[in-house]
Amino acid sequence: MKSNIRQWFAAASALLCIAVSLCYGLKPDMFAAVTFFPAWVWLVPGIIITVPAFKAKHRRWLFTVFGMWAVFALVFNEEPRSIIRRPGISKAQLQSDVNRGRAVRVITLNCSGGNSKAAAEVRKYRPDIVLLQESPSESDIKRLTRELFGSHGGYTCTADDSILARGHVQPHTPSSDNRLICASAHVKLCSGFELEAISLRLVPPVVRLDLWSPNCWNEYAGNRRIRRDQTKQIANIIAGLPRHLPIIAGGDFNAPAGDDIFEHLCPRMHDTFAEHGVGWGNTVLNDFPVQRVDQIWADKRFHAVSVRAYKTHNSDHRMVVCDLLLH
């Protein structure tokens, strides 16, 4: 194979890098079929394309292309940053803040079709607030609340979402549309700390690999538009909550971290894992987690000091455990 032809392979890899960088940078709906996948997935075809260029006489192109992909990997993949990050405070400091009523531990978990055994796995992490999706029955939620918090616990639940807390839980009356995607409540913890909490689950994603089909691209785009509308509903709920109280919103967003739909939660809310996530934060699938669809968002009065995803035994999602301090 002639050297100039080999260089064309390197050029094709560079063009692919530029194209997917634009997709992840701009995140238009029409390219949701690209950005649905973890950004690191595109490193595979990008590197494979360069293989014929290894035998070229002049390899400056090759090193330039590798540099482009390295920048792409660092900019659009959060895993390298979270793996080397450490918790913001020590366990002793955290316990001191807990004792002073300034720290809150929040857990979110998709219970995989209402599996009560999955929900019960939150017990070992001693949460203050639990947000469940694909929630078990109300009787199971009531029993779990008692097991977690004794006589000092409260809960609320809809057909799909639940909120459990160490304290009093006063549910908000949802509209018929909101009831399908979330549960929300005013929570007063035993420490006296008050906040608003939302547990949510948005429409499941499309999972198709036939990217050569125009219908595949249209379905991905339409699916994201539905999820964006649902995120707007959540943002409207947040806008209607008392502004003097902190807010936590978490659950199964069914969207990859950094997706365009999250812009509706900003700037009032922020992604706690992006602030201080530690370790491998992806949550689906439980045995092979490639996407961080389970997230906890908090308003600016909260500061995340540690957010981790833990493997579960009875769900197809990993559990997210988030320690928050009040500024």
Side-chain angles (χ1 to χ4, degrees), residues 100-156:
R100 292 159 55 196
R102 292 187 62 246
V104 180
R105 170 163 285 187
V106 184
I107 292 180
T108 185
L109 174 64
N110 182 306
C111 297
S112 187
N115 190 329
S116 60
K117 292 183 179 179
E121 291 187 48
V122 306
R123 287 181 297 188
K124 66 179 291 188
Y125 298 101
R126 303 180 66 184
D128 297 299
I129 299 173
V130 179
L131 311 175
L132 300 178
Q133 305 82 47
E134 295 193 43
S135 176
S137 67
E138 183 171 358
S139 60
D140 288 330
I141 293 298
K142 184 177 181 179
R143 182 170 57 252
L144 179 59
T145 302
R146 188 168 55 250
E147 292 172 357
L148 286 171
F149 312 121
S151 61
H152 302 291
Y155 73 91
T156 183

Side-chain angles (χ1 to χ4, degrees), residues 194-257:
E194 296 184 57
L195 71 151
E196 304 289 341
I198 298 173
S199 176
L200 61 93
R201 177 173 174 263
L202 305 186
V203 64
V206 171
V207 181
R208 293 181 59 171
L209 300 178
D210 54 332
L211 299 183
W212 57 86
S213 167
N215 179 260
C216 172
W217 290 69
N218 291 335
E219 192 170 355
Y220 270 108
N223 182 257
R224 184 204 262 178
R225 282 191 285 267
I226 294 172
R227 203 173 298 111
R228 178 184 287 109
D229 289 340
Q230 292 179 330
T231 310
K232 288 180 181 178
Q233 288 180 256
I234 300 297
N236 290 335
I237 293 172
I238 292 171
L241 296 174
R243 298 195 69 86
H244 68 282
L245 289 177
I247 301 170
I248 295 169
D252 182 0
F253 287 87
N254 275 314

Side-chain angles (χ1 to χ4, degrees), residues 4-324:
N4 60 338
I5 296 178
R6 294 191 178 100
Q7 290 175 6
W8 277 109
F9 280 95
S13 180
L15 290 174
L16 176 62
C17 182
I18 293 171
V20 294
S21 295
L22 289 173
C23 289
Y24 282 93
L26 300 176
K27 299 183 179 69
D29 287 343
M30 64 185 298
F31 293 123
V34 174
T35 58
F36 169 77
F37 297 97
W40 52 262
V41 164
W42 299 102
L43 293 172
V44 177
I47 299 304
I48 290 176
I49 293 173
T50 64
V51 170
F54 277 97
K55 294 183 179 181
K57 293 181 180 179
H58 304 290
R59 297 183 180 177
R60 287 174 298 177
W61 266 90
L62 192 60
F63 294 125
T64 300
V65 172
F66 282 165
M68 293 172 64
W69 282 111
V71 171
F72 171 82
L74 291 174
V75 171
F76 296 109
N77 293 275
E78 65 180 3
E79 290 87 351
R81 296 186 292 275
S82 65
I83 287 173
I84 64 174
R85 191 182 290 142
R86 293 294 177 263
I89 61 175
S90 67
K91 291 183 178 180
Q93 289 174 307
L94 179 61
Q95 187 58 52
S96 174
D97 285 309
V98 169
N99 295 338
R100 292 159 55 196
R102 292 187 62 246
V104 180
R105 170 163 285 187
V106 184
I107 292 180
T108 185
L109 174 64
N110 182 306
C111 297
S112 187
N115 190 329
S116 60
K117 292 183 179 179
E121 291 187 48
V122 306
R123 287 181 297 188
K124 66 179 291 188
Y125 298 101
R126 303 180 66 184
D128 297 299
I129 299 173
V130 179
L131 311 175
L132 300 178
Q133 305 82 47
E134 295 193 43
S135 176
S137 67
E138 183 171 358
S139 60
D140 288 330
I141 293 298
K142 184 177 181 179
R143 182 170 57 252
L144 179 59
T145 302
R146 188 168 55 250
E147 292 172 357
L148 286 171
F149 312 121
S151 61
H152 302 291
Y155 73 91
T156 183
C157 54
T158 64
D160 197 55
D161 303 283
S162 297
I163 301 171
L164 299 73
R166 188 188 307 278
H168 180 70
V169 176
Q170 178 62 48
H172 298 306
T173 303
S175 69
S176 56
D177 291 336
N178 293 341
R179 190 181 293 112
L180 299 175
I181 60 172
C182 74
S184 63
H186 173 82
V187 176
K188 184 175 182 179
L189 298 176
C190 292
S191 63
F193 184 73
E194 296 184 57
L195 71 151
E196 304 289 341
I198 298 173
S199 176
L200 61 93
R201 177 173 174 263
L202 305 186
V203 64
V206 171
V207 181
R208 293 181 59 171
L209 300 178
D210 54 332
L211 299 183
W212 57 86
S213 167
N215 179 260
C216 172
W217 290 69
N218 291 335
E219 192 170 355
Y220 270 108
N223 182 257
R224 184 204 262 178
R225 282 191 285 267
I226 294 172
R227 203 173 298 111
R228 178 184 287 109
D229 289 340
Q230 292 179 330
T231 310
K232 288 180 181 178
Q233 288 180 256
I234 300 297
N236 290 335
I237 293 172
I238 292 171
L241 296 174
R243 298 195 69 86
H244 68 282
L245 289 177
I247 301 170
I248 295 169
D252 182 0
F253 287 87
N254 275 314
D259 195 82
D260 186 56
I261 69 167
F262 296 109
E263 68 178 12
H264 299 291
L265 300 180
C266 302
R268 186 172 180 181
M269 309 288 285
H270 67 281
D271 178 359
T272 58
F273 191 90
E275 180 185 19
H276 215 113
V278 178
W280 191 262
N282 296 335
T283 59
V284 290
L285 294 166
N286 184 45
D287 293 323
F288 187 68
V290 296
Q291 289 280 34
R292 186 167 66 84
V293 302
D294 301 272
Q295 304 175 22
I296 295 173
W297 285 64
D299 75 11
K300 299 301 182 181
R301 283 166 287 192
F302 278 119
H303 168 57
V305 293
S306 178
V307 189
R308 295 178 182 269
Y310 291 96
K311 188 174 182 180
T312 58
H313 299 287
N314 297 286
S315 175
D316 54 350
H317 288 239
R318 294 195 171 190
M319 178 191 312
V320 180
V321 179
C322 174
D323 289 315
L324 295 169

